[in-house]
Amino acid sequence: MSYVEVPLARLSLVALLVAVAVAVSFRARLDLERSILWASARGVAQLLAVGYALRLLFAHEHVASLAAALTAMLLVAAWTASRRVEHAPAALFLPALAAIGAGGLIALVPVFALVIVPTPWYSGRYVIPIAGMMLSNAMNVVALTFERIFASARSEAPVIEQLLALGASPEQALHAQVRSALRAAMTPTLNGLLTVGLVALPGMMTGQIVSGIDPGSAVRYQLVVLFQLAAVAATSGWVAATLSRRMLFTARAQLRPDGAPPPGER
Amino acid sequence: MEPPRPGPPRLTATGLTLSRGGRRLLDAVDFRVDAREVVCVEGPSGCGKSTLLRVLATLLEADAGEVFLDGVAAHALPPRLFRRRVAYVPQQAPMLDGTVADNVATGPRLRGERLAPASVAQRLLQVGLDAAFADRRARELSGGERQRVALARALANEPEILLLDEPTAALDARAAEVVLERVRALCREGLGVVVVSHEPAHAIALGALRRAMREGRLGPAEEARA
């Protein structure tokens, strides 16, 4: 089977596709031209950098370089998930780091120990792309969980406080909010499982098929990844929810005033 | 003139002080309510009376001062135990998802206990609601019905102290009279009741010990204006 390379000259042709997007934005007065150009330029720079970094990483396989790459990915994911969350009662970076890290560990360690066993085990070619998918899914789940729990704790503060007054533990008082946040955060992952192959071939499988791998083998990899994603979503979401609850309540089972509207002086 | 104080002091507080956003909502408030006693806290809106109630319910932490139940500091008691013994019904208490029966049974359910339908019906009758209300969706009730379901829900925990924030605000005159009569009866049965109200007539109807709140300070009420 032959592999079709993309020469740089032809690659530059796809810049025209960006021009299409810019033209549409201009014509429809979306006022997005600058954003499209900036995002495209960033995408080019980030991918070029990643391409070189991966080439370097694969050429000098070493535990330390793999660990450094994974750490950097984890830090960026945690930083992204903890930004722009409204009504957070405390700094979210460390909780995000813990939640994403926990999901990543649960999904990655058993799989690379027992299912996809590369030699050496720290082979970046396998670990980096799969870890990237896991951390990115964890990042989205954690951001969504934080966002929804803090927003609903604020809007439903009277209900939560009424439950506390009736003798609920913080866990009981926040149960409905945690449940709906986790369900919402897991929905995209579950939809992915339900529609896989029907709407789109997932990225991993697409990549393997394009590079000439037998579809049967590609399917096996994709199944591993999909099940990993489900575990990541559940674990990271659950850890994020548990940490959110700790942030929302005092040690004496009171809803923190800065997580709720000011004391209602009516 | 203070009415006689039967029995031991039940819910007390000393030196409660609380500021929020540069405003002093509670200023060195001392408070006491005994069993079989109604204390009515009166005052203009924004004077700190709702805040006092939430601090007494341990839902809000004061910057200084302490709440005591039967002489034991609230800090020394598990919050869930304290709140079972000291019930709090906010103004416009929110209804939870489900039926009226689900709402009334919430307190026992949170402890893993089941409140029998007969007990639910009895709690509803106590607040002047027909047992047929048990199957209604709680969030579809009128304001006055909600207020009474909230009271029944609080009573299902069999508390010793009842903290009520404007319990008659959403009620018409007849429903208000039912609730006031019910509060009087609960008091006779041994509960200590604290009522926050802007309506002096209700305090008088309850035979309450009247205290007035003004800019975070608690003092004796002015002469009755009713």
Side-chain angles (χ1 to χ4, degrees):
Chain A
M1 228 184 283
S2 65
Y3 182 73
V4 183
E5 287 281 348
V6 182
L8 268 181
R10 290 201 201 169
L11 182 62
S12 57
L13 275 179
V14 293
L16 288 174
L17 295 174
V18 175
V20 170
V22 169
V24 168
S25 166
F26 181 73
R27 183 77 180 77
R29 297 183 188 175
L30 303 182
D31 208 16
L32 282 177
E33 297 92 308
R34 286 173 67 94
S35 300
I36 293 169
L37 288 174
W38 169 241
S40 307
R42 250 189 82 165
V44 169
Q46 282 169 212
L47 283 179
L48 282 179
V50 164
Y52 281 114
L54 287 179
R55 196 178 267 177
L56 208 64
L57 205 65
F58 297 167
H60 313 277
E61 296 246 66
H62 195 278
V63 183
S65 53
L66 179 70
L70 290 178
T71 305
M73 289 157 69
L74 180 61
L75 289 174
V76 173
W79 181 72
T80 309
S82 58
R83 277 191 324 160
R84 291 202 218 114
V85 174
E86 284 182 46
H87 315 311
L92 291 178
F93 178 74
L94 289 177
L97 194 67
I100 296 171
L105 279 180
I106 289 282
L108 294 170
V109 172
V111 163
F112 284 118
L114 303 170
V115 186
I116 301 172
V117 190
T119 10
W121 63 266
Y122 48 84
S123 170
R125 251 182 73 204
Y126 292 89
V127 179
I128 297 281
I130 293 182
M133 285 188 272
M134 299 309 133
L135 295 179
S136 139
N137 196 43
M139 173 181 84
N140 291 329
V141 165
V142 166
L144 203 55
T145 305
F146 280 151
E147 179 70 42
R148 288 194 57 131
I149 287 186
F150 294 134
S152 62
R154 189 182 172 86
S155 66
E156 292 162 40
V159 172
I160 295 167
E161 200 158 79
Q162 177 67 82
L163 283 165
L164 291 174
L166 288 167
S169 64
E171 198 169 350
Q172 289 173 322
L174 199 67
H175 173 74
Q177 290 73 22
V178 165
R179 184 172 185 272
S180 84
L182 284 184
R183 286 179 69 98
M186 285 199 67
T187 297
T189 305
L190 292 180
N191 284 346
L193 269 173
L194 286 173
T195 61
V196 64
L198 300 180
V199 178
L201 295 179
M204 172 110 177
M205 198 170 148
T206 308
Q208 287 188 314
I209 291 174
V210 169
S211 60
I213 304 285
D214 165 55
S217 301
V219 161
R220 290 187 186 193
Y221 267 85
Q222 192 58 53
L223 276 178
V224 171
V225 166
L226 282 173
F227 292 164
Q228 279 181 301
L229 288 175
V232 161
T235 308
S236 292
W238 184 75
V239 173
T242 304
L243 297 176
S244 306
R245 187 169 57 231
R246 292 214 185 145
M247 285 183 259
L248 281 168
F249 293 94
T250 67
R252 293 189 69 202
Q254 294 152 331
L255 198 55
R256 277 187 200 282
D258 38 356
E265 243 330 299
R266 293 167 288 228
Chain B
M1 192 177 83
E2 296 231 332
R5 290 184 173 273
R10 301 305 290 269
L11 189 69
T12 56
T14 52
L16 295 179
T17 299
L18 177 74
S19 300
R20 279 285 187 277
R23 249 185 87 208
R24 182 147 285 198
L25 295 170
L26 298 178
D27 192 355
V29 170
D30 295 333
F31 189 84
R32 162 174 177 153
V33 59
D34 291 352
R36 300 174 203 285
E37 181 180 65
V38 182
V39 175
C40 191
V41 180
E42 299 168 21
S45 77
C47 70
K49 53 194 198 303
S50 291
T51 299
L52 172 63
L53 221 52
R54 290 179 69 218
V55 170
L56 291 177
T58 71
L59 291 169
L60 194 61
E61 191 75 18
D63 300 335
E66 179 59 292
V67 177
F68 299 89
L69 182 58
D70 276 340
V72 181
H75 272 105
L77 292 168
R80 301 184 64 182
L81 181 70
F82 180 97
R83 290 172 194 158
R84 189 189 165 183
R85 294 173 63 189
V86 179
Y88 164 69
V89 182
Q91 189 179 8
Q92 290 165 359
M95 292 290 102
L96 308 171
D97 279 333
T99 63
V100 167
D102 295 335
N103 270 268
V104 173
T106 302
R109 181 175 55 76
L110 291 168
R111 298 191 295 276
E113 295 167 18
R114 189 176 162 273
L115 195 64
S119 305
V120 171
Q122 189 203 343
R123 296 289 172 209
L124 290 175
L125 284 176
Q126 276 187 333
V127 295
L129 288 176
D130 193 78
F133 268 91
D135 295 327
R136 296 267 301 272
R137 313 299 303 175
R139 288 190 168 154
E140 291 167 11
L141 301 178
S142 73
E145 290 161 350
R146 286 168 177 229
Q147 197 62 30
R148 283 185 277 173
V149 170
L151 185 57
R153 184 170 65 186
L155 292 174
N157 268 343
E158 298 178 339
E160 298 157 44
I161 303 285
L162 195 54
L163 308 173
L164 303 175
D165 196 348
E166 300 280 4
T168 55
L171 306 188
D172 60 36
R174 205 174 65 85
E177 182 46 44
V178 171
V179 168
L180 291 176
E181 170 48 38
R182 189 58 220 146
V183 170
R184 273 195 296 271
L186 288 166
C187 188
R188 282 195 298 274
E189 288 163 22
L191 260 78
V193 183
V194 182
V195 178
V196 157
S197 176
H198 64 275
E199 185 55 79
H202 288 164
I204 293 160
L206 286 167
L209 177 66
R210 294 171 60 201
R211 311 286 305 274
M213 194 133 199
R214 209 178 157 76
E215 286 168 6
R217 301 191 72 96
L218 196 61
E222 297 164 27
E223 283 307 302
R225 282 160 291 174

